[in-house]
Amino acid sequence: MTDYGEIEKRAKTRKTALNTITYILLVFWAVIVLFPFYWMILTSVKSYSAYNSEYIPAFFTLSPTLQNYADAFTAVPLGRYFANTVIFTVVTTAIMLVVITLAAFAIARLDFRGKNIAFVIFLSLMMIPNELVIITNFVTVTNLDMRNTFPGLILPSVTSVFYIYLLKENFEQIPDSLYYAAKVDGTSDLKYLLRVMIPISKPTLITITILKVIECWNSYVWPRLITDDENYFLVSNGIQEIRENGFGRENIPAMMAAVVVISLPLIILFLIFRKKAMAGVSRGGTKG
């Protein structure tokens, strides 16, 4: 005779054991991922003398100090780097959202001759190495005399083939019946885009915005290449300037304090919009 109670008990035991192992692995992985952030913050609150006196790195400190954070804004123009980065990030992201939204709408909803061929050619641009694009952009910006200017920093980053593709896939999930009904009512394409497609695709647009903000905030190669005037340095380039001409190569605690200050806006941004970002990624990757 089958003992269903025993079978249920064994199944429950196996489930409990599996959940326990899963949580242990997740905790272990979380420690690995979060440890660099902990070490960065810990180092930033150690004094210069305490840090250099440690023969074996200590995993805690009994005398934390905030002097390194004060030095981050006084020894180098970190505030200016922040302001430059905010301007660059906000303007670049805003222009890019307009460009990719109009491009994705045209590909997803408008009918014109050669659309599919043009889209395939457009996607093939993703195969071009970034190094080649940087070289051509550098030559173009230099010839236009836009080095050490915000337009020179911003213009090469105002579009993205990947983001257009992601948004186009999202737009195509919206039923065609809504578009045809809007056209019957006399709604223009621009009104339909603004009142129907953009509100429905809001999670994906938020995701793209977050990804672009992170991309701009961490941008290093292009700003370093196109600017040699510290008045136009971004925070990513400012770190190198801090290391070379600010605190000195050995003052690691002060450098870590600057890195914490620079990283904080991105961490806050992700924590605020993490649910919408996940929803946008899952929605953008689902067809039908």
Side-chain angles (χ1 to χ4, degrees), residues 77-235:
L78 188 60
R80 183 193 304 158
Y81 300 156
F82 248 103
N84 292 343
T85 307
V86 170
I87 295 172
F88 169 71
T89 301
V90 171
V91 175
T92 302
T93 303
I95 296 176
M96 188 211 67
L97 286 174
V98 174
V99 171
I100 67 168
T101 301
L102 295 176
F105 175 77
I107 296 171
R109 281 290 173 260
L110 302 183
D111 291 325
F112 53 89
R113 183 177 297 178
K115 182 177 76 171
N116 293 332
I117 297 176
F119 183 62
V120 171
I121 296 174
F122 191 61
L123 284 181
S124 67
L125 295 176
M126 296 178 65
M127 304 299 293
I128 300 177
N130 289 331
E131 290 77 9
L132 294 180
V133 177
I134 287 177
I135 292 172
T136 56
N137 286 340
F138 176 78
V139 173
T140 302
V141 170
T142 301
N143 290 337
L144 293 175
D145 196 23
M146 289 195 299
R147 293 196 62 196
N148 293 316
T149 63
F150 281 112
L153 282 169
I154 293 169
L155 288 179
S157 303
V158 295
T159 189
S160 169
V161 177
F162 172 72
Y163 293 148
I164 292 174
Y165 173 76
L166 181 65
L167 193 57
K168 172 252 185 190
E169 291 295 306
N170 196 245
F171 281 169
E172 288 185 340
Q173 296 178 35
I174 301 173
D176 292 338
S177 57
L178 290 177
Y179 180 68
Y180 298 141
K183 298 302 291 183
V184 169
D185 290 339
T187 303
S188 64
D189 288 335
L190 183 59
K191 274 188 178 181
Y192 177 75
L193 173 63
L194 296 175
R195 296 183 179 181
V196 178
M197 300 190 79
I198 289 180
I200 293 177
S201 304
K202 190 175 179 181
T204 302
L205 286 169
I206 291 176
T207 301
I208 291 174
T209 301
I210 294 173
L211 293 176
K212 187 62 178 180
V213 167
I214 294 174
E215 177 187 330
C216 292
W217 200 267
N218 294 330
S219 181
Y220 177 80
V221 176
W222 176 250
R224 189 70 175 178
L225 184 65
I226 208 65
T227 60
D228 51 25
D229 183 353
E230 71 171 14
N231 291 320
Y232 295 95
F233 280 175
L234 307 184
V235 289

Side-chain angles (χ1 to χ4, degrees), residues 37 40-41 69 82 217 257-271:
F37 295 97
M40 176 178 67
I41 296 173
Y69 290 90
F82 248 103
W217 200 267
V259 173
V260 170
V261 173
I262 291 170
S263 303
L264 193 59
L266 293 183
I267 296 174
I268 294 175
L269 181 70
F270 177 77
L271 291 178

